[in-house]
């Protein structure tokens, strides 16, 4: 796993010097990343569990989004050496520090865009 303290050093200079919102947006860019973090907030998940929780996502896109979140130190990927291979994903400390923001996003959405009771 990459050293979480070195994250800023891995970003291109233009992203390191961008405003904090732009840096956060760069990390969270991707249709599925926020939802992946939301699902991982309830605990460690295997690839197929995540695939089941995200109907409509392709294996390739799921793999790419997970790899990007891992590279950005938001999640940890643990591979078990067994047959068939078992891979688990969980939040890092950095990923867990994003959970209050996810909670606020959920509260904002519920307040301003309540779920349709007929759906």
């Amino acid at each position: 796993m990459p050293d979480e303290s070195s994250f800023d050093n891995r970003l291109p200079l233009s992203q390191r010097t961008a405003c904090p919102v732009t840096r956060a947006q760069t990390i969270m860019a991707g249709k599925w990343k926020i939802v992946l973090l939301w699902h991982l907030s309830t605990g460690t998940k295997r690839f197929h569990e995540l695939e089941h929780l995200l109907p409509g996502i392709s294996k390739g896109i799921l793999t790419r989004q997970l790899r990007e979140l891992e590279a950005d130190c938001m999640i940890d990927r643990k591979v078990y050496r067994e047959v068939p291979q078992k891979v688990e994903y969980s939040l890092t400390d950095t990923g867990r520090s994003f959970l209050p923001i996810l909670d606020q996003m959920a509260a904002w959405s519920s307040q301003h865009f309540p779920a349709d009771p007929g759906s």
Side-chain angles (χ1 to χ4, degrees):
M1 179 175 119
D3 177 13
E4 292 182 43
S5 64
S6 67
F7 171 73
D8 275 344
N9 294 328
R10 292 183 291 113
L11 287 174
L13 180 60
S14 62
Q15 289 177 8
R16 282 185 282 168
T17 58
C19 78
V21 173
T22 301
R23 289 195 308 265
Q25 180 186 18
T26 299
I27 294 165
M28 291 303 131
K31 179 177 179 178
W32 302 98
K33 287 182 180 180
I34 289 175
V35 179
L36 282 165
L37 293 172
W38 183 258
H39 285 300
L40 290 172
S41 73
T42 62
T44 300
K45 304 275 187 293
R46 293 178 68 178
F47 184 89
H48 292 295
E49 288 178 273
L50 292 168
E51 195 175 28
H52 178 74
L53 290 167
L54 301 167
I57 193 170
S58 71
K59 288 182 183 197
I61 296 295
L62 178 56
T63 298
R64 184 178 328 140
Q65 299 273 283
L66 289 167
R67 285 182 182 161
E68 289 174 7
L69 286 168
E70 182 184 17
D72 290 334
C73 302
M74 298 296 287
I75 65 170
D76 185 38
R77 178 178 184 262
K78 184 172 183 180
V79 179
Y80 294 88
R81 302 198 188 285
E82 53 187 59
V83 176
Q85 188 178 54
K86 177 179 163 184
V87 180
E88 292 182 337
Y89 297 90
S90 59
L91 295 177
T92 62
D93 289 341
T94 301
R96 280 188 293 280
S97 74
F98 192 72
L99 295 181
I101 297 166
L102 288 176
D103 290 338
Q104 286 295 313
M105 290 172 69
W108 177 83
S109 176
S110 295
Q111 180 182 356
H112 296 285
F113 306 98
D116 181 10
S119 59

